[in-house]
Amino acid sequence: MKGRGLIAIALALLVASPAHADTLVDNVNGITLDKDGKLVRFTGLVIDKDGKVAKLLDRKDKRPERPDFREDGKGKTLIPGLIDAHGHVMGLGFSLMLLDLSDTNSLAEAQAAIRKYAADNPEVPWIIGRGWNQEKWGLGRFPTAADLDAAVADRPVWLERVDGHAGWANSAAMRAARVTAATKAPEGGRIEMAGGQPSGIFVDAATSVVASAVPKPLARDLDRAFLLAQAKLLEQGITTIADMGTTIQDWQAFRRAGDKRQLAIRIISYGHDIDNMALIGGPGPTPWLYDDKLRMVGVKLYLDGALGSRGAWLKQPYSDAPGQKGLPLLTPAQLRNKMVRASMDKFQVAIHAIGDAANAEALNAIADLTADLPGERRWRIEHAQIVDPLDIPRFQQLGVVASMQPIHQPSDRLMAEARLGPERLKGAYAWRSMEKAGVRLAFGSDVPVESANPFPGIAAAISRTDAAGQPFGGWHPEEVVSRETALDGFTRSAAFAGFAEDRLGTLMPGMRADFLILESDPLLASPDEIRRMTPLETWVGGYRYYKKKGG
C-alpha cells in the first residue's frame, strides 16, 4: 500500500538521538537571526537538558569540557528549523495515501494515472485524490465527468483541484451524491454546467454537494495520514507548521500522536471556521502542549476562492472570463460577526483572501473592528496574492501580517497573466512592495497545493524564477526580496505570525533548539543551488529526528 515505507520511517524517526542532555553541536557554519532580525553567525551551539539553546559559540569561545553528547558538524551549515506559515498537515498526509495527480502534465496522463490507481486498489469503494490542474495541462477548459468516466466508470471518483477550491466528479459520484440538473449550488459556490446538465466540476462551496457523500475516514486513517505528513515535513526541513483549517478530527489525531509520544514536529493550529475553533479551544486559545509541540491559537476564515478556478474575488472581471469576478464566500456582516466572535475570546483571526476585492474587504473589516477590539490582534491575511497597490500600505497601518507563499508565483505566473491582464500584475505576489511598506511577511507553502519543500520557495522569493530558471531575469523582478528576508519569512517572522516568537524562529539563547544541517550556505548559494538543497539532518528541541541516508 502506498506510504507503507514512509510509515516505517516515521516511526523510526521517533527513536531520536540524543536523549535530552547537555549537547554540543560544534564545527558548524552557524546562521540565525536574532530577535530583531539581525544576522548572527556562530561555530558552535550548546543545548541544555530542556532542549533549548543555552549558548552560541564563536571560534574563540571555550567549549564545554565534558558535554553529555557532542556532534561534529564537519563544517556544514546550520540554520534554524524552517517554519511553514501556511500549510495543511492532514491534506499532505492524505495526498501521500491517496491518488496524487500533481505531477501529471496532460488530461491523458491524468486519466492513465486514475486507471492505474483504480486497478491497484480494487477494494476501495471511492477513488479519492487531488492535484489536477487544467492550466498546467494546457486543456483550455475544465475537465468533465465524461473525461473521468473514460478512465473509471464503475466506481465513484472525486478529485480535488490542486488548490482545493474545485472538485471533479465522474457520473457515478454525481449519482451517489444525487446531483441532477435541478441541484442548486450553495451560497459561495458554483456548479459548472454543460448542455443543461452538471459538467462534473464543483467550485468552492459547491464542492460540499459531492464531498458530503464521500465515506468519512476512520481514526486509524487519520493517524496514518498524520505520521506520513510528519515524516515528509521532517525530511524537507520543516520543524514547525501553521495548520490552516484544523478540524476537530485533525486535532484529535494530533493529540493521539502527542499522547503516544509520536509528535515530533510543532503545529500551530488555526481552527476550520468558528465551530471547530470553539470545539478545540473552548473559551480561548489552548496552552502549548507536549513540550511546545502543539497549540491551537486561532481560526481560519475563507473570504474567497482561488485564481485557478476563477473563485478569487476581483474588483474587475477576469481578463479571460469577462462575465466573472469570482465569489465572496462571506457577506460583510458574516465576516465581521465571525471576526468578533473569535476575537472576543482572544483567538487570532487568519483570513484567506486571494483576489484584490477580497483583500480590500478583509482590510476594511479589520479597520472597522480594530478600534473596538483592544490588545494585539496580530491579524493575518493568508495568501494576499492579488492586492490593489493602493491597499498595500493598509497592511502596515492596520498591523496585518501578510502570510504569503512564494512558490505560488512561479506556479501561477502564466495563469495569472491570463486571468488578470498586465495592469493588475503590479500588485500580484508583491513581496518587495509589502516589505518596503513595512509589512511583516510570513512565508509558507500551502502544502499540499504545493510541495512543503521550503527551499524552492526561498529560491522563488529571491529570484522570481521557476525550476527551469524562467523567465530569464525573473518575473516582475522588482518584487524579489533578499536572502535574509526570505530566511526571515520562513523563520522569525513565521513564528511571530503565530504568536510563537518567544520560543521559536531563532536560535538565540533560551529558544527551542530546532535546526537543520545543510551541505552549503543558503545565504551564499545561487537560486538554483538553493532550489536543490535538502537537509542532511533535522533537529527539533535538541533531538535529531531525521538524518539523510548517506548524509
Side-chain angles (χ1 to χ4, degrees):
M1 191 70 175
K2 185 179 180 183
R4 189 172 294 156
L6 265 178
I7 282 285
I9 294 168
L11 293 172
L13 286 168
L14 298 168
V15 185
S17 64
H20 270 161
D22 288 327
T23 299
L24 170 63
V25 182
D26 205 3
N27 188 21
V28 295
N29 170 36
I31 299 168
T32 188
L33 300 171
D34 67 12
K35 64 182 179 60
D36 298 317
K38 182 181 176 183
L39 187 65
V40 175
R41 289 189 177 268
F42 55 93
T43 60
L45 178 77
V46 180
I47 304 167
D48 68 20
K49 59 183 175 57
D50 295 320
K52 296 178 180 179
V53 178
K55 193 174 183 182
L56 297 180
L57 302 171
D58 204 348
R59 291 190 191 283
K60 62 182 183 298
D61 292 331
K62 185 178 179 182
R63 270 48 184 167
E65 289 185 7
R66 293 178 181 172
D68 295 313
F69 184 89
R70 183 181 186 277
E71 176 82 2
D72 183 356
K74 299 178 181 177
K76 307 295 189 192
T77 295
L78 186 155
I79 68 170
L82 297 178
I83 300 174
D84 191 321
H86 182 117
H88 307 277
V89 175
M90 300 305 287
L92 169 59
F94 279 110
S95 75
L96 295 168
M97 288 170 61
L98 304 175
L99 174 60
D100 182 7
L101 297 176
S102 59
D103 288 335
T104 59
N105 295 303
S106 67
L107 174 60
E109 273 188 32
Q111 289 170 319
I114 295 162
R115 286 189 197 98
K116 183 178 187 307
Y117 184 90
D120 291 346
N121 296 276
E123 78 288 353
V124 175
W126 279 64
I127 307 296
I128 307 296
R130 67 172 293 143
W132 59 272
N133 185 348
Q134 82 283 2
E135 298 293 331
K136 183 179 177 182
W137 296 344
L139 197 58
R141 60 173 175 85
F142 277 126
T144 65
D147 294 326
L148 259 187
D149 293 344
V152 176
D154 61 341
R155 275 182 283 173
V157 182
W158 176 240
L159 305 169
E160 282 190 11
R161 193 180 184 279
V162 64
D163 56 21
H165 286 272
W168 178 21
N170 71 349
S171 297
M174 290 195 287
R175 286 194 298 272
R178 299 182 180 177
V179 174
T180 69
T183 301
K184 301 294 184 188
E187 186 178 350
R190 185 175 74 247
I191 298 173
E192 293 284 324
M193 305 295 286
Q197 297 293 322
S199 73
I201 294 296
F202 300 77
V203 178
D204 285 315
T207 57
S208 64
V209 173
V210 178
S212 61
V214 177
K216 299 292 185 286
L218 302 174
R220 64 172 174 265
D221 300 322
L222 291 160
D223 292 347
R224 181 167 175 261
F226 172 71
L227 288 177
L228 287 168
Q230 176 169 261
K232 178 59 73 174
L233 292 168
L234 290 168
E235 177 189 320
Q236 293 178 320
I238 298 297
T239 57
T240 299
I241 185 167
D243 188 55
M244 283 291 163
T246 309
T247 66
I248 185 64
Q249 292 84 5
D250 299 340
W251 179 261
Q252 292 297 86
F254 303 157
R255 290 297 305 262
R256 285 192 295 272
D259 291 344
K260 295 174 187 173
R261 301 180 64 82
Q262 293 179 344
L263 187 57
I265 60 169
R266 304 189 194 278
I267 301 173
I268 302 171
S269 169
Y270 291 78
H272 181 69
D273 217 307
I274 296 296
D275 289 348
N276 284 286
M277 176 199 82
L279 280 169
I280 296 166
T286 70
W288 283 99
L289 305 169
Y290 312 111
D291 288 330
D292 295 346
K293 292 291 180 66
L294 180 64
R295 186 188 184 211
M296 196 273 193
V297 70
V299 64
K300 164 83 175 295
L301 304 176
Y302 283 92
L303 186 49
D304 70 344
L307 206 58
S309 54
R310 297 192 188 88
W313 182 23
L314 302 179
K315 291 183 176 183
Q316 299 299 324
Y318 281 86
S319 294
D320 59 355
Q324 296 182 31
K325 287 186 179 181
L327 298 163
L329 302 182
L330 297 170
T331 67
Q334 288 171 333
L335 174 63
R336 286 158 178 78
N337 286 342
K338 288 174 185 285
M339 292 169 68
V340 169
R341 166 68 181 84
S343 297
M344 292 296 284
D345 285 333
K346 296 183 171 53
F347 289 102
Q348 187 186 14
V349 174
I351 304 171
H352 166 115
I354 288 181
D356 53 7
N359 277 279
E361 171 60 7
L363 292 166
N364 290 341
I366 290 166
D368 290 346
L369 299 179
T370 293
D372 296 324
L373 293 168
E376 190 181 12
R377 295 287 129 207
R378 215 171 285 185
W379 308 101
R380 297 176 57 138
I381 292 183
E382 305 302 312
H383 309 303
Q385 276 178 232
I386 316 300
V387 180
D388 185 328
L390 295 175
D391 284 327
I392 288 175
R394 301 178 68 203
F395 279 76
Q396 189 277 330
Q397 292 160 10
L398 295 167
V400 177
V401 174
S403 172
M404 304 176 80
Q405 299 75 47
I407 196 62
H408 281 330
Q409 179 271 307
S411 295
D412 294 356
R413 172 172 62 92
L414 297 177
M415 176 188 67
E417 289 175 350
R419 294 282 191 271
L420 300 171
E423 195 57 34
R424 281 180 288 189
L425 295 178
K426 292 175 183 175
Y429 315 88
W431 316 313
R432 178 65 181 140
S433 293
M434 289 279 190
E435 183 184 30
K436 284 167 63 178
V439 181
R440 198 71 178 259
L441 292 172
F443 285 157
S445 70
D446 203 13
V447 65
V449 175
E450 304 279 358
S451 165
N453 185 349
F455 294 100
I458 293 171
I462 67 172
S463 71
R464 308 276 289 192
T465 59
D466 62 17
Q470 294 299 316
F472 180 76
W475 187 74
H476 292 270
E478 68 276 7
E479 292 296 347
V480 300
V481 295
S482 68
R483 285 165 171 76
E484 289 82 1
T485 295
L487 180 63
D488 182 84
F490 279 102
T491 56
R492 187 184 70 109
S493 286
F496 174 88
F499 282 97
E501 75 276 13
D502 60 337
R503 64 201 67 206
L504 307 177
T506 81
L507 291 172
M508 300 308 291
M511 305 294 277
R512 288 289 182 179
D514 301 351
F515 58 87
L516 311 179
I517 305 290
L518 304 175
E519 189 69 49
S520 54
D521 187 336
L523 297 184
L524 301 176
S526 70
D528 190 52
E529 289 167 337
I530 293 171
R531 202 174 279 115
R532 295 197 304 267
M533 284 182 180
T534 56
L536 301 176
E537 299 182 12
T538 302
W539 294 57
V540 184
Y543 286 92
R544 181 171 55 212
Y545 279 100
Y546 169 78
K547 185 168 185 177
K548 186 178 180 180
K549 287 183 179 177

